[in-house]
Amino acid sequence: MNFTRTLACALAAIAVLAGCGIQKEAADSDGESEPAAAWSVSCPEAEKTATAQGFPSEPLPCLSGDASYEVAAMHSGPKLVTLWASWCKPCRDEAPELEEFHQTLGDDITVIGVNTQDSPDRGRHFAQDFGWTFPSVIDESGAVMRSQGVAALPATFLIDADGRTVKTFNKGDVTAQDLVDAAETELEVGS
């Protein structure tokens, strides 16, 4: 009798789980999709003055869809390049910190995001959700990540005006203050 009861409970659990799978399929295929993100921040158009060492020089499409941008391009000053993806939990944790850094030092340092191995629509939703006011490009193949020898996201690079990477953050716990401190120390910016 105990075996019969256990078997009945197991069969009931399987039926419930099977029902959840069917409901999920129905929800996924009902034709409804998330509305398009309204986020749009144009990539820089400034004249290229140097090249960031080790970064690919091929232009990538801007996440805003308005043009393309070469991540390796340097524009009359230092640069911060951050690699991220909407599916990356540590990227979500760092997103507000990156925006705070941009609000603090964005006039002195060009900030560019690289939406890595992600869909453009998800990337735009991510940038919109975090209120980003700095641009990003789309790197669906992960070329920028590979060029830097990075195995996991997020990764952020502080680059001096001559195109040399002076500081790399890739532990997934960077704060705006960490970035500001590095900019002050390594680039003598913001002090």
Side-chain angles (χ1 to χ4, degrees), residues 101-111 189:
F101 172 81
H102 178 63
Q103 291 298 320
T104 304
L105 291 179
D107 291 339
D108 299 319
I109 298 176
T110 300
V111 177
V189 173

Side-chain angles (χ1 to χ4, degrees), residues 6 8 18 26 31 35 48-49 58 74 85 89 112 114 117 123 152 154 156 161 163 176:
T6 303
K48 179 178 170 182
T49 59
E58 296 80 26
M74 297 298 296
K89 166 77 168 92
I112 187 85
V114 180
Q117 297 178 328
T156 300

Side-chain angles (χ1 to χ4, degrees), residues 62-80:
C62 292
L63 188 59
S64 61
D66 60 348
S68 61
Y69 179 76
E70 182 184 322
V71 175
M74 297 298 296
H75 314 284
S76 69
K79 183 176 195 171
L80 180 136

Side-chain angles (χ1 to χ4, degrees), residues 47 56 59 100 122 133 142 172-173:
E47 185 176 324
E100 184 178 334
R122 287 183 186 142
T133 58
D173 59 357

Side-chain angles (χ1 to χ4, degrees), residues 17-37:
L17 290 174
C20 289
I22 291 168
Q23 288 174 343
K24 178 168 181 8
E25 281 180 27
D28 288 346
S29 64
D30 66 1
E32 290 186 34
S33 62
E34 194 170 8

Side-chain angles (χ1 to χ4, degrees), residues 86-105:
S86 66
W87 46 261
C88 163
K89 166 77 168 92
C91 298
R92 297 187 75 74
D93 295 340
E94 286 187 359
E97 302 297 325
L98 292 162
E99 177 60 24
E100 184 178 334
F101 172 81
H102 178 63
Q103 291 298 320
T104 304
L105 291 179

